[in-house]
Amino acid sequence: MDIRESLRTALGSLMNNKMRAILTMLGVIIGVGAVIALLSLGEGVEASITDQIQGLGANLLIITTDQENSGGYSALSTEDLEAMADPFYAPAVSTVAAEVQGPQQVVYDGEDTRVTVSGVTANYFDVRNLDIALGKALSEEDVEDNARVAVLGTNVVEDLFPSDELPIGKYVRIAGSKYEVIGTLEEEGGM
């Protein structure tokens, strides 16, 4: 049987069984479309999760002290941080940043909001991949001088300041103490 004869027989079968041919083609089209859609959805979810992990720091190690369950051990000290940053003791560690946090009331011009306030070292913003929207981040001098300065998150700015007022250079009260706003953070998803 030659190719022409085979094509003629196949077309004849398709014409005689039109409904079967249409249903078969529809099944193949739906199946291929479903596989493509699921693969695309899976890749999209994978990319989203990868972005979130990288936003937190893909190679980030967080050490915390739980005072209630620490078994009598004290919180980490600045000496501990210096030891972790020392290449002799921890050669694989590239950067160490510190954070102390707790819930506090933040007040500006009669408006207030209760948020988690973090006291951080200057390199914290780089370690956590935080971008500054306005102003600047903390500097080493700010930390060394115990400067009363603050970098506010987007939600805190929205809660405390009118939309037409820039917070840079203004003063907020945190736990009763006055802090100058030197910067604001870019909006972050999830945090």
Side-chain angles (χ1 to χ4, degrees), residues 83-96:
M84 285 185 267
D86 188 335
F88 179 75
Y89 297 115
V93 175
S94 62
T95 307
V96 175

Side-chain angles (χ1 to χ4, degrees), residues 75-138:
L76 295 173
S77 66
T78 53
E79 290 81 21
D80 295 329
L81 292 173
E82 290 168 3
M84 285 185 267
D86 188 335
F88 179 75
Y89 297 115
V93 175
S94 62
T95 307
V96 175
E99 174 185 29
V100 177
Q101 67 176 343
Q104 294 292 332
Q105 197 77 16
V106 181
V107 180
Y108 173 74
D109 197 30
E111 295 293 326
D112 67 274
T113 185
R114 188 155 183 85
V115 296
T116 300
V117 174
S118 297
V120 299
T121 53
N123 59 348
Y124 178 82
F125 298 93
D126 291 331
V127 170
R128 294 305 295 262
N129 296 325
L130 299 173
D131 295 320
I132 301 296
L134 294 172
K136 62 179 185 163
L138 297 175

